[in-house]
């Protein structure tokens, strides 16, 4: 059973546009929600993370929006660039446990 | 400084053979994780070490999989009697510590295992 459901599976955005990737979860014990970026042949790298005590976190062009009541969170990439073309994974973790649950990934292609 | 390294980068083996995959974490990182990533999927948790001990091995799919970290640094993932379904990229990650903290996990590039 997929603990974290991610959509869309793939996304094509024009340069300068906004990329939006969504994730949903069921387990209310999750209390840490990171997003990872992965380029081909590389391991995932942490992009930005949020805890459920805030509804939004912004770092540069990347923003996480968190809706605790809906059990959903999303990644917004503003002014998307071709260099952002990669696969993005959301993840979740329960407090005091070290098991991270990953979404199935979104392959983003930013067209020049 | 050096990141997480994994060797080999690629491993091709035959069904039924034994393989070992190695992970060198970032120096000083006490927490170490193994994940399996199948094609087109997200990483799937296998096992977590805090120091030398396996604190959570609930993700290991069956008893053919085993991992060790004898000195609290390098870890080896061992797969016995490999099956074609074991083909995947095996990722290792390390962080300063686990448990109550939210320290960033740093991933290695992975070992691509192909079982023929």
């Amino acid at each position: 059973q997929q603990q974290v459901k991610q959509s869309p599976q793939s996304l094509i955005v024009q340069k300068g546009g906004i990329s939006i990737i969504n994730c949903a979860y069921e387990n209310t014990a999750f209390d840490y929600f990171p997003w990872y970026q992965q380029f081909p042949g590389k391991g995932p790298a942490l992009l930005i993370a949020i805890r459920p005590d805030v509804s939004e976190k912004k770092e540069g062009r990347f923003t996480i929006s968190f809706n605790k009541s809906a059990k959903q969170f999303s990644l917004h990439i503003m002014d998307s660039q071709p260099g952002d073309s990669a696969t993005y994974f959301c993840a979740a973790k329960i407090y005091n446990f070290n098991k991270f649950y990953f979404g199935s990934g979104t392959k983003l292609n930013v067209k020049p | 400084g050096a990141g997480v390294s994994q060797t080999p980068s690629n491993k091709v083996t035959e069904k039924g053979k034994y393989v070992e995959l190695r992970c060198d974490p970032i120096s000083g990182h006490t927490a170490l994780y193994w994940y399996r990533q199948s094609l087109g999927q997200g990483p799937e948790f296998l096992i977590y070490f805090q120091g030398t001990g396996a604190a959570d091995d609930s993700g290991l799919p069956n008893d053919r999989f085993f991992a060790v970290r004898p000195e609290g640094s390098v870890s080896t993932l061992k797969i016995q009697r490999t099956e074609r379904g074991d083909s995947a990229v095996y990722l290792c990650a390390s962080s300063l510590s686990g448990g109550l903290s939210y320290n960033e996990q740093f991933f290695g590039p992975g070992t691509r295992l192909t079982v023929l």
Side-chain angles (χ1 to χ4, degrees), chain A residues 31-63:
Chain A
D31 80 326
Y32 179 66
F33 302 89
W35 283 90
Y36 290 85
Q37 180 187 57
Q38 186 176 30
F39 292 104
K42 305 289 186 183
L46 180 66
L47 196 59
I48 186 173
I50 198 168
R51 295 190 59 193
D53 51 349
V54 297
S55 61
E56 185 175 283
K57 183 174 181 180
K58 183 175 181 178
E59 289 183 2
R61 295 185 295 110
F62 301 92
T63 299

Side-chain angles (χ1 to χ4, degrees), chain B residues 94-116:
Chain B
S94 71
S95 67
L96 270 175
S97 64
L100 301 179
S101 70
Y102 299 95
N103 289 312
E104 179 179 351
Q105 286 187 80
F106 293 85
F107 282 83
T111 293
R112 181 175 297 278
L113 175 66
T114 303
V115 182
L116 301 177

